[in-house]
């Protein structure tokens, strides 16, 4: 799919032989022949590291002890191995590793897994070939670039993100965390280019962004490649995110001008039907000569695209040349942004809402009315458009605003949406869980539960009797909401495959059942071999299996980070999940084993209960090095948590006074009846308020 690029049949000699003034800087004017060769070699080495990550996901030896891998034979062989001291050999460890390897080999030998492995590599290789050829056209030649693929540094091992345990203390700013994470997750590749002046390194990164966009998409692997280049060129992550923002604005401003010229072009064609309105943009830096249709003159393209990008040192004509046909096509720009953002809020979503009630992407920023069902107005809203999309998914609700509020912590480097779905089911669950943790039965039960591990409770089904009596308040709401979340995940996968987000990488973040939506989405994407859509994923307190096989499948469709945030102290999740398939583990309670590219983040010291995740999203994202966090919103979140904890304590004190003198678990049935009634009243009240607001909005 990547071989049939618009410039595939055109190639020029490198533009070093041509004359360029200072106002028309390009890769061939700032880099000599050896520098350009180093650039293609750097790209080849970075993509080799990316490919190695894919391969490691299907490696049965991944995370096994390197000292044991070659010796996993019989016990006699282990003892007789001259490299092993019989007095210190750990036979149990050898047996454990051997069984683990056998289990993985069996799993990976299954036809579906082998097919998934092959498909993931083919997609990546096709993308990589398109990138290398495109860069080769600009800096040297396609043949030279392809030959350097063989010279690329082959990473001897895959970088494994270390498991983290988050403490309340840490770096003070989001930038400090994200800067540290960039180097850890995308280790710098040694290159002489890193010693160039900063403005030249920035120009290289900027040029690469435009060249990747000229592939007529900006999919997840392209973003990961730029992260490797940013790290290797010793640039701050902020340089890349600001560049993406400026390029998005430049493209949309150009599209706006092109739209204004469409009527002029149409009338001209009617008056002179034999004449074709084409503008030849002379290519620079080895780029192909591009024909731009649509009645747009070259100076207009330069004004719309080059003026924004020229500030980084790249000439306007070079910028247009690097962008290729994207520089002069409203159709391509519209496709890149998902019809300028309209697809994520328009008729397509109305169709999905027939499958999952209330299904909609709600913009976290900007005026929602400008993008709903009105693509022309959306074109004008270039301030909120970005080259990346982030979707946040709330796992339960106690008020409708919680669909959007938790995701205001995500910064402005991406276009942020909140996924709304099944409001009644999530509202019922949120009110039920809140009532349960405030109950006398839960207070008594927690004292008993805390003496044992959560998994001991789950596996032995030894939950306190008083708690089981009130379990009917939460069991059915959780079961219903969990089922609806799985369906929402399948619909979300369908929306991404149908390019609701356009040709942009998507990051998915969810807590509680929001994480279940993402789990279902990734499993569906993998089943349909839909690679390159998802950049990174953060699952927080996920009520999903923790098996290596499931997470291996999920990892296959995530190009960047896959993070599992869990707490061993989440007794609420343990209780809610006790009737599910607990033999497959619970990701929200434990680390994921056996996959080197899955990040495990233990927040046990920060999260003492499932309901706290709602108020800790920003804090968690900051401390895992998420690249774009609004610190002001994180502070608001922390204040909201303080208020919630005070209210929770107040309710507990009232219950203690009311139940003073009563035995543990006494009147549990009566308490359950009262809780059930309270939950129903709160849910209906919230839904009625939403209905009135919808009626008021429709009349306006």
């Amino acid at each position: 799919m990547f071989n049939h690029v618009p410039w595939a049949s055109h190639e020029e000699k490198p533009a070093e032989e041509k004359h360029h003034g200072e106002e028309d800087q390009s890769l061939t004017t700032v880099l000599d022949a050896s520098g350009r060769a180093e650039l293609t070699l750097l790209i080849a080495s970075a993509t080799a590291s990316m490919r190695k990550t894919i391969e490691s996901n299907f490696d049965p030896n991944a995370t096994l002890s390197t000292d044991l891998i070659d010796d996993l034979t019989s016990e006699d062989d282990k003892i007789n191995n001259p490299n092993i001291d019989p007095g210190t050999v750990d036979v149990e460890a050898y047996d454990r590793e051997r069984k683990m390897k056998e289990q993985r080999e069996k799993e990976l030998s299954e036809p579906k897994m082998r097919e998934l492995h092959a498909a993931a590599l083919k997609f990546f290789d096709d993308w990589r070939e398109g990138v290398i050829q495109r860069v080769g056209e600009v800096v040297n030649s396609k043949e030279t670039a392809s030959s350097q693929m063989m010279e690329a540094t082959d990473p001897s091992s895959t970088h494994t993100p270390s498991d983290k345990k988050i403490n309340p203390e840490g770096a003070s700013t989001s930038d400090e965390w994200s800067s540290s994470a960039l180097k850890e997750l995308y280790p710098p590749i040694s290159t002489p280019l890193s010693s160039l002046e900063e403005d030249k390194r920035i120009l290289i990164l900027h040029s690469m962004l435009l060249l990747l966009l000229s592939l007529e998409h900006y999919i997840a692997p392209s973003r990961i490649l730029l992260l490797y280049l940013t790290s290797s060129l010793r640039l701050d992550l902020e340089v890349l995110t600001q560049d993406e923002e400026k390029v998005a604005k430049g493209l949309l401003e150009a599209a706006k001008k092109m739209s204004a010229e469409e009527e002029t072009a149409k009338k001209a064609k009617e008056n002179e039907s034999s004449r074709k309105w084409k503008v030849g943009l002379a290519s620079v830096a080895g780029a192909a000569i591009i024909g731009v249709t649509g009645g747009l003159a070259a100076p207009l393209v330069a004004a719309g695209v080059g003026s924004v990008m020229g500030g980084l040192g790249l000439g306007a004509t070079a910028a247009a040349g690097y962008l290729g046909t994207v520089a002069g096509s409203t159709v391509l720009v519209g496709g890149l942004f998902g019809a300028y953002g309209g697809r994520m809020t328009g008729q397509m979503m109305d169709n999905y809402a027939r499958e999952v009630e209330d299904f909609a992407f709600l913009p976290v920023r900007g005026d929602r009315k400008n993008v709903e069902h009105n693509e022309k107005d959306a074109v004008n809203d270039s301030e909120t458009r970005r080259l990346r999309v982030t979707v946040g998914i709330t796992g339960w609700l106690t008020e409708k605003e919680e669909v959007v509020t938790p995701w205001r912590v995500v910064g402005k480097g991406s276009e942020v949406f909140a996924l709304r779905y099944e409001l009644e089911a999530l509202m019922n669950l949120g009110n039920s869980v809140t009532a349960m943790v405030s109950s006398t039965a839960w207070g008594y039960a927690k004292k008993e539960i805390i003496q044992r591990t959560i998994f001991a409770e789950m596996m032995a089904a030894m939950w306190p009797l008083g708690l089981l009596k009130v379990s009917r308040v939460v069991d059915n709401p959780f079961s219903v909401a969990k089922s609806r979340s799985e369906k929402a995940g399948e619909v979300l996968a369908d929306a991404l495959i149908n390019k609701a987000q356009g040709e942009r990488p998507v990051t998915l973040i969810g807590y509680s059942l929001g994480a279940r939506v993402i789990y279902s989405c990734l499993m569906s994407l993998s089943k349909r071999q839909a690679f390159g859509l998802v950049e990174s994923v953060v699952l927080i307190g996920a009520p999903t299996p923790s098996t290596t096989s499931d997470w291996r499948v999920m990892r296959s469709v995530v190009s960047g980070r896959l993070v599992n945030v869990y707490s061993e102290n989440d007794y609420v999740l343990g209780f809610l999940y006790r009737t599910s398939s607990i033999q497959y583990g619970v990701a929200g309670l434990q680390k994921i084993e056996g996959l080197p590219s899955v990040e495990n983040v233990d927040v046990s010291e920060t999260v003492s209960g499932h309901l706290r995740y709602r108020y800790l999203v920003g804090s968690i994202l900051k401390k895992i090095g998420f690249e774009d966090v609004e610190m002001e919103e994180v502070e608001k979140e922390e204040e909201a948590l303080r208020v919630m904890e005070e209210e929770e304590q107040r309710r507990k004190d009232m219950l203690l006074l009311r139940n003073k003198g009563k035995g543990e678990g006494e009147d549990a049935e009566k308490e359950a009846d009262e809780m059930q009634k309270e939950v129903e009243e709160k849910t209906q009240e919230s839904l009625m308020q939403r209905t009135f607001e919808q009626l008021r909005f429709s009349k306006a």
Side-chain angles (χ1 to χ4, degrees):
M1 65 180 282
F2 297 108
N3 295 329
H4 305 293
V5 289
W7 52 84
S9 59
H10 303 285
E11 185 174 307
E12 283 192 7
K13 292 181 180 179
E16 63 180 336
E17 302 171 9
K18 302 179 182 181
H19 175 72
H20 295 278
E22 281 188 22
E23 73 283 354
D24 203 16
Q25 290 290 327
S26 66
L27 288 174
T28 53
T29 63
V30 299
L31 296 176
D32 58 18
S34 63
R36 297 198 297 274
E38 289 293 344
L39 176 58
T40 52
L41 185 60
L42 173 59
I43 294 166
S45 298
T47 54
S49 292
M50 293 168 65
R51 195 180 197 277
K52 193 76 173 181
T53 299
I54 298 173
E55 291 176 331
S56 74
N57 191 45
F58 297 92
D59 181 4
N61 295 325
T63 72
L64 295 182
S65 171
T66 54
D67 295 332
L68 303 178
I69 288 174
D70 296 330
D71 304 305
L72 296 179
T73 53
S74 68
E75 290 187 18
D76 289 339
D77 289 338
K78 297 169 196 170
I79 302 299
N80 295 328
N81 190 319
N83 298 319
I84 297 176
D85 180 359
T88 60
V89 65
D90 187 343
V91 177
E92 288 186 8
Y94 273 97
D95 284 341
R96 188 167 56 250
E97 299 271 302
R98 177 179 55 80
K99 290 176 183 178
M100 193 179 298
K101 184 179 181 183
E102 288 174 354
Q103 181 182 351
R104 293 179 187 176
E105 287 176 338
K106 181 180 179 181
E107 173 204 331
L108 290 167
S109 66
E110 294 177 359
K112 285 186 178 179
M113 196 63 74
R114 291 170 63 185
E115 181 183 346
L116 179 64
H117 184 189
L121 287 176
K122 183 181 185 305
F123 176 89
F124 181 83
D125 289 343
D126 287 345
W127 165 81
R128 179 172 61 169
E129 184 179 352
V131 171
I132 292 294
Q133 287 189 3
R134 177 58 176 142
V135 173
E137 289 175 346
V138 169
V139 300
N140 34 54
S141 70
K142 287 189 287 188
E143 289 75 16
T144 302
S146 296
S147 68
Q148 286 185 310
M149 288 283 291
M150 306 302 294
E151 301 176 29
T153 304
D154 185 20
S156 57
S157 62
T158 305
H159 176 70
T160 304
S162 58
D163 291 340
K164 298 180 179 66
K165 187 164 187 175
I166 288 184
N167 300 314
E169 303 300 324
S172 58
T173 69
S174 174
D175 289 342
E176 289 177 28
W177 286 99
S178 58
S179 178
S180 174
L182 176 68
K183 294 182 179 64
E184 180 188 351
L185 297 165
Y186 309 101
I189 297 166
S190 179
T191 174
L193 299 177
S194 64
S195 61
L196 293 174
E197 297 91 335
E198 185 179 38
D199 59 341
K200 290 184 178 180
R201 285 180 278 134
I202 291 174
L203 186 143
I204 292 171
L205 185 66
H206 175 59
S207 299
M208 280 303 305
L209 172 58
L210 300 186
L211 288 170
L212 289 169
L213 286 171
S214 72
L215 294 168
E216 299 182 3
H217 54 63
Y218 186 47
I219 59 176
S222 296
R223 181 83 194 335
I224 302 306
L225 173 57
L226 287 178
L227 289 171
Y228 268 107
L229 296 183
T230 303
S231 176
S232 301
L233 293 172
R234 294 191 298 112
L235 293 171
D236 291 335
L237 183 58
E238 189 178 9
V239 173
L240 175 59
T241 55
Q242 288 182 353
D243 193 18
E244 288 175 319
E245 183 177 338
K246 289 177 181 177
V247 169
K249 183 176 180 179
L251 286 173
L252 288 163
E253 288 298 320
K256 190 189 303 184
K257 292 175 182 177
M258 283 187 268
S259 298
E261 293 290 316
E262 284 179 357
E263 285 303 314
T264 303
K266 183 179 178 181
K267 289 178 182 178
K269 286 180 181 179
E270 290 173 354
N271 295 334
E272 194 178 343
S273 59
S274 62
R275 179 185 176 191
K276 293 183 179 179
W277 282 57
K278 291 187 178 180
V279 178
L281 287 180
S283 67
V284 295
I289 295 178
I290 303 159
V292 182
T293 62
L296 191 66
L300 186 57
V301 176
V305 179
S307 60
V308 175
M309 305 176 189
L312 294 174
L314 187 67
T317 315
Y322 289 170
L323 277 170
T325 51
V326 174
S329 171
T330 55
V331 175
L332 292 178
V333 174
L336 180 66
F337 289 93
Y340 310 106
R343 280 190 207 152
M344 294 195 78
T345 51
Q347 186 176 353
M348 181 189 286
M349 294 306 110
D350 293 340
N351 295 333
Y352 288 134
R354 297 189 184 102
E355 297 184 55
V356 174
E357 193 171 342
D358 305 313
F359 191 93
F361 293 104
L362 306 182
V364 172
R365 296 184 184 86
D367 188 353
R368 188 179 164 203
K369 290 186 289 184
N370 282 347
V371 292
E372 277 195 337
H373 312 289
N374 194 337
E375 292 179 9
K376 283 188 177 180
D377 286 344
V379 177
N380 297 324
D381 188 20
S382 59
E383 290 301 319
T384 59
R385 300 281 86 81
R386 296 291 184 269
L387 286 177
R388 296 182 294 123
V389 172
T390 299
V391 178
I393 312 175
T394 299
W396 73 83
L397 300 169
T398 54
E399 51 187 30
K400 63 184 187 330
E401 289 79 9
E402 288 177 330
V403 172
V404 172
T405 304
W407 311 113
R408 293 200 176 109
V409 298
V410 180
K412 298 177 181 178
S414 66
E415 197 169 328
V416 189
F417 292 88
L419 179 64
R420 186 189 70 196
Y421 74 100
E422 296 289 354
L423 286 178
E424 183 172 359
L426 293 182
M427 196 81 71
N428 200 27
L429 173 64
N431 289 329
S432 298
V433 174
T434 301
M436 183 190 74
V437 299
S438 302
S439 67
T440 306
W442 180 259
Y444 288 135
K446 191 171 180 182
K447 295 176 186 176
E448 187 175 333
I449 295 170
I450 206 166
Q451 298 172 12
R452 300 186 291 270
T453 68
I454 296 176
F455 275 106
E457 297 289 344
M458 294 174 67
M459 298 305 291
M462 294 175 61
W463 297 95
L465 180 61
L467 185 58
L468 291 174
K469 286 183 178 180
V470 300
S471 65
R472 60 185 169 90
V473 176
V474 294
D475 283 352
N476 188 58
F478 180 72
S479 177
V480 170
K482 178 167 163 281
S483 176
R484 304 281 174 84
S485 297
E486 289 168 359
K487 179 62 177 176
E490 293 173 2
V491 172
L492 174 60
D494 199 48
L496 297 181
I497 288 172
N498 287 322
K499 303 298 176 70
Q501 76 286 1
E503 299 285 354
R504 299 177 290 174
V506 177
T507 289
L508 302 172
I509 311 170
Y511 63 85
S512 189
L513 284 179
R516 184 80 187 193
V517 172
I518 297 172
Y519 164 80
S520 175
C521 172
L522 296 180
M523 297 298 281
S524 180
L525 290 176
S526 176
K527 185 177 181 181
R528 298 157 77 174
Q529 296 183 2
F531 307 106
L533 299 173
V534 179
E535 178 186 346
S536 293
V537 169
V538 182
L539 300 179
I540 303 173
T544 69
S546 60
T547 59
T548 303
S549 57
D550 275 1
W551 282 74
R552 191 190 312 281
V553 170
M554 293 161 62
R555 188 70 185 87
S556 70
V557 291
V558 179
S559 298
R561 304 176 67 180
L562 177 56
V563 185
N564 176 46
V565 179
Y566 68 96
S567 170
E568 296 175 350
N569 297 325
D570 194 345
Y571 302 102
V572 173
L573 177 59
F575 186 68
L576 291 173
Y577 207 78
R578 75 191 189 285
T579 58
S580 301
S581 303
I582 58 172
Q583 68 271 24
Y584 299 118
V586 189
L589 297 174
Q590 61 188 133
K591 67 182 292 186
I592 308 303
E593 303 281 359
L595 293 173
S597 56
V598 171
E599 298 174 56
N600 290 291
V601 180
D602 184 357
V603 294
S604 300
E605 294 186 16
T606 306
V607 178
S608 58
H610 199 64
L611 294 180
R612 276 160 176 70
Y613 280 127
R614 150 71 180 85
Y615 304 95
L616 291 170
V617 172
S619 177
I620 290 171
L621 290 179
K622 182 186 76 170
K623 292 182 179 180
I624 66 170
F626 192 77
E627 64 180 84
D628 204 13
V629 179
E630 287 282 354
M631 293 308 298
E632 186 177 334
E633 293 295 334
V634 173
E635 291 172 3
K636 290 180 182 178
E637 215 177 42
E638 291 170 349
E639 174 62 20
L641 174 61
R642 187 187 63 77
V643 172
M644 185 275 282
E645 289 176 336
E646 289 178 355
E647 176 63 21
E648 187 179 85
Q649 187 59 50
R650 188 184 64 81
R651 286 200 303 266
K652 286 180 180 178
D653 293 342
M654 289 178 63
L655 279 171
L656 284 173
L657 286 173
R658 191 175 70 181
N659 295 295
K660 192 174 183 180
K662 294 182 180 180
E664 292 189 14
E666 191 175 326
D667 294 332
E669 290 287 353
K670 182 180 178 182
E671 185 178 32
D673 290 336
E674 292 174 353
M675 288 162 57
Q676 193 90 48
K677 184 178 179 182
E678 179 186 351
V679 167
E680 290 173 359
E681 289 176 352
K682 285 186 176 179
T683 301
Q684 289 305 312
E685 181 182 351
S686 297
L687 292 173
M688 286 295 289
Q689 286 178 354
R690 178 172 178 265
T691 302
F692 287 139
E693 287 178 5
Q694 286 179 321
L695 288 171
R696 199 162 56 242
F697 180 78
S698 61
K699 289 179 181 179

